[in-house]
Amino acid sequence: MALPNELRSILSQNGGTVTTAQANAVGVSNERLRLLVKAGELERVTFGVYVSPDDFVDKMYATQLRRQKAVFSHETALFLHDLTDRDPLGYTVTVPTGYNATRLRADGCKVFTIKRELHEIGVTVLSTMFGHTVTAYDMERTICDCMRSRNQMDIAVVTDAIKRYSRRKDKNLNSLMRMADMFNVAKPLRSYMEVLL
């Protein structure tokens, strides 16, 4: 069974990735997708996300396609911002309170929840190492999240991230302190910054 041209086009535009919704929109049924997987023309990465078998799977991008509300945060955002050398084994995401995170956890993600009104603060778009764009928190929000969750994270990673942040030319200390006040971490963050700066 050959790959339909419409799917081929979507795959080339999306770096070898296609969702069930995108396939359905161009007239490719779920059953046809299943048959294409069986024929070896596509590989199913996760529920509703398929890739071309000759492409490397960008799992971060696949996770984002499947779960639009999930924002990469904590260790994963540190990695995307080059504030840590540790390659995340599993991804860390933040979702709004009330979001059903069962599938995210089943996919191996570490999930944090936050009030809906705080979920979108500091959201930015970053590139994965495969060049796909995903949503993550900006550096300042990420530092604040790490401070809020420092008891659930490796403290050496948090300290190293703050050191790296303090050396960055693109840091925004005013924004950092505003967010630190908003997320109630201004006091511990000041202690860290005073030692490092």
Side-chain angles (χ1 to χ4, degrees), residues 58-81 88 90-95 104 109-110 112 119 121-128 132-139 141-142 145:
D58 186 344
K59 289 190 174 161
M60 197 178 282
Y61 181 61
T63 300
Q64 183 83 86
L65 282 175
R66 191 73 203 116
R67 309 273 171 248
Q68 305 271 317
K69 286 266 186 225
V71 178
F72 290 107
S73 62
H74 299 79
E75 293 98 331
T76 307
L78 289 176
F79 178 75
L80 288 168
H81 284 294
Y91 301 124
T92 306
V93 295
T94 298
V95 295
L104 278 167
C109 290
K110 184 175 179 183
F112 285 90
H119 182 249
I121 294 170
V123 169
T124 190
V125 175
L126 298 172
S127 287
T128 69
H132 294 115
T133 55
V134 293
T135 55
Y137 288 120
D138 64 20
M139 286 194 297
R141 167 71 187 262
T142 299
D145 282 346

Side-chain angles (χ1 to χ4, degrees), residues 8 16 27 33 44 55 59 99-100 106 161 183:
R8 214 178 284 282
L33 285 171
R44 185 173 174 257
D55 283 310
K59 289 190 174 161
Y99 181 88
N100 183 350
F183 292 101

Side-chain angles (χ1 to χ4, degrees), residues 161-178:
I162 294 171
K163 275 185 198 163
R164 286 170 179 242
Y165 174 79
S166 65
R167 291 193 296 258
R168 292 280 285 258
K169 289 194 173 19
D170 57 344
K171 67 182 176 287
N172 184 336
L173 292 172
N174 289 336
S175 173
L176 178 66
M177 293 324 289
R178 256 195 325 274

Side-chain angles (χ1 to χ4, degrees), residues 19-193:
T19 64
T20 303
Q22 290 168 331
N24 292 166
V26 294
V28 178
S29 69
N30 292 6
E31 178 60 17
R32 184 120 185 245
L33 285 171
R34 193 185 67 72
L35 292 171
L36 287 165
V37 168
K38 197 173 177 184
E41 293 290 329
L42 284 177
E43 284 178 20
R44 185 173 174 257
V45 186
T46 181
F47 184 79
V49 181
Y50 300 85
V51 293
S52 173
D54 6 314
D55 283 310
F56 281 108
V57 178
D58 186 344
K59 289 190 174 161
M60 197 178 282
Y61 181 61
T63 300
Q64 183 83 86
L65 282 175
R66 191 73 203 116
R67 309 273 171 248
Q68 305 271 317
K69 286 266 186 225
V71 178
F72 290 107
S73 62
H74 299 79
E75 293 98 331
T76 307
L78 289 176
F79 178 75
L80 288 168
H81 284 294
D82 202 22
L83 292 173
T84 184
D85 289 330
R86 291 197 192 174
D87 200 343
L89 299 173
Y91 301 124
T92 306
V93 295
T94 298
V95 295
T97 305
Y99 181 88
N100 183 350
T102 310
R103 279 237 168 90
L104 278 167
R105 288 190 181 97
D107 287 347
C109 290
K110 184 175 179 183
V111 181
F112 285 90
T113 57
I114 192 143
K115 289 183 210 162
R116 287 184 181 279
E117 60 270 21
L118 298 174
H119 182 249
E120 298 288 319
I121 294 170
V123 169
T124 190
V125 175
L126 298 172
S127 287
T128 69
M129 59 188 191
F130 294 101
H132 294 115
T133 55
V134 293
T135 55
Y137 288 120
D138 64 20
M139 286 194 297
E140 289 72 24
R141 167 71 187 262
T142 299
I143 295 290
C144 290
D145 282 346
C146 290
M147 287 305 296
R148 287 179 68 221
S149 309
R150 62 192 180 280
N151 297 334
Q152 298 165 57
M153 291 177 67
D154 182 338
I155 201 66
V157 170
V158 177
T159 306
D160 182 49
I162 294 171
K163 275 185 198 163
R164 286 170 179 242
Y165 174 79
S166 65
R167 291 193 296 258
R168 292 280 285 258
K169 289 194 173 19
D170 57 344
K171 67 182 176 287
N172 184 336
L173 292 172
N174 289 336
S175 173
L176 178 66
M177 293 324 289
R178 256 195 325 274
M179 278 198 199
D181 282 333
M182 199 181 300
F183 292 101
N184 298 317
V185 292
K187 199 173 172 189
L189 183 59
R190 272 197 194 93
S191 312
Y192 270 79
M193 297 299 273

